[in-house]
C-alpha cells in the first residue's frame, strides 16, 4: 500500500463494535469513540461494510485524501480507499476505492450495467459503479465544471482479471450489484446533503 495512505487511516469497527487492545491505536489514528462515517462523509459504516471481497475478516478502515491544488486538472478530487483487516486483525487489504471528482462529460451508462433506481443518475456493475450528484453540487463544491461524479472500483470483482486467472467472482452477482448500487446511492445522498445541493424539485 502506498505510504501516503498510512497517516490518514481512520480505523472503524465492524457493525459498531470495536475491540481495542493496548498498542492497536497509533498516535496519529483517531481513537474511540469511532466515527460513524468515512470517505469524506459519503458513507456510513454500515453501508461501507456491504462491499466484500470474499475473504471475510475484521474491522473496516479508510484512507482518504483530497486535492487542494486548484491548478490541478480536477478542481474537486476526493478519494478514499476502504480496507479490511485480516481475520487475525493484523494485516489490512484494500477492498475498494471511492473517488469523487468534477467532470465536463455528461453522465452516461455502461454496457450490461443496472440503473441505480428512481431519483439517481448512474449505473452499477459488479466491479464498478458511478453516480452523478445533483445539479448545483459542482458550484457548492468549488468547481466550474458542470458535473460531480462519485465512482466506485472493486478490483476483486474485475471480470477480465478473474477470467485471466481462471477464478470465479468472490461475490455472486445478485449480491455485488445491489451492494454497489446501495453504496452509490448513499454517497450521492450524503454528499448532496453535506454540500446543501440536493434536488428539491
Amino acid at each position: 500500500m502506498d505510504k501516503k495512505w498510512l497517516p490518514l487511516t481512520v480505523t472503524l469497527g465492524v457493525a459498531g463494535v470495536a475491540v481495542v487492545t493496548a498498542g492497536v491505536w497509533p498516535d496519529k489514528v483517531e481513537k474511540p469513540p469511532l466515527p460513524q462515517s468515512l470517505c469524506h462523509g459519503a458513507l456510513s459504516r454500515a453501508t461501507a461494510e456491504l462491499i466484500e471481497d470474499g475473504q471475510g475478516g475484521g474491522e473496516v478502515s479508510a484512507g482518504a485524501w483530497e486535492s487542494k491544488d486548484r491548478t490541478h486538472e480536477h478542481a474537486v478530487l476526493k478519494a478514499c480507499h476502504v480496507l479490511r483487516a485480516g481475520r487475525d486483525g493484523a494485516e489490512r487489504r484494500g477492498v475498494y476505492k471511492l473517488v469523487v471528482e468534477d467532470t465536463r462529460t455528461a453522465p452516461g451508462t455502461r454496457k450490461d450495467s443496472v440503473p441505480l433506481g428512481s431519483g439517481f443518475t448512474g449505473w452499477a456493475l459488479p466491479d464498478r459503479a458511478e453516480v452523478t450528484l445533483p445539479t448545483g453540487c459542482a458550484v457548492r463544491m468549488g468547481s466550474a465544471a458542470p458535473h460531480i461524479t462519485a465512482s466506485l472500483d472493486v478490483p476483486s470483482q474485475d471480470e477480465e482479471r478473474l477470467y485471466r486467472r481462471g477464478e470465479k467472482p468472490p461475490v455472486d452477482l445478485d449480491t455485488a450489484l445491489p451492494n454497489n448500487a446501495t453504496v452509490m446511492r448513499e454517497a450521492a445522498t450524503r454528499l448532496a446533503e453535506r454540500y446543501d445541493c440536493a434536488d428539491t424539485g
Side-chain angles (χ1 to χ4, degrees), residues 100-147:
V100 180
E101 60 187 332
D102 55 12
T103 177
R104 298 188 180 281
T105 306
T109 59
R110 290 290 182 93
K111 182 181 178 182
D112 300 324
S113 65
V114 297
L116 300 182
S118 177
F120 296 92
T121 302
W123 49 267
L125 288 167
D127 64 332
R128 294 184 181 277
E130 183 178 281
V131 65
T132 300
L133 271 60
T135 303
C137 287
V139 172
R140 290 282 190 172
M141 295 175 78
S143 174
H147 309 289

Side-chain angles (χ1 to χ4, degrees), residues 26-86:
D27 290 339
K28 293 186 179 180
V29 175
E30 188 170 344
K31 295 178 175 62
L34 300 176
Q36 296 299 310
S37 63
L38 69 161
C39 294
H40 304 284
L43 299 176
S44 65
R45 281 194 289 162
T47 299
E49 291 168 357
L50 289 176
I51 297 179
E52 274 287 358
D53 58 4
Q55 297 183 45
E59 64 186 11
V60 169
S61 60
W65 63 278
E66 60 186 306
S67 173
K68 297 292 187 182
D69 183 4
R70 294 300 179 181
T71 64
H72 191 271
E73 179 183 355
H74 300 280
V76 174
L77 179 59
K78 301 176 184 292
C80 172
H81 277 189
V82 175
L83 318 170
R84 188 176 287 277

Side-chain angles (χ1 to χ4, degrees), residues 176-199:
L177 280 176
N179 285 351
N180 290 357
T182 296
V183 167
M184 288 290 90
R185 289 194 298 266
E186 181 170 276
T189 300
R190 289 172 67 101
L191 289 171
E193 290 174 350
R194 178 178 178 184
Y195 289 96
D196 193 24
C197 54
D199 285 335

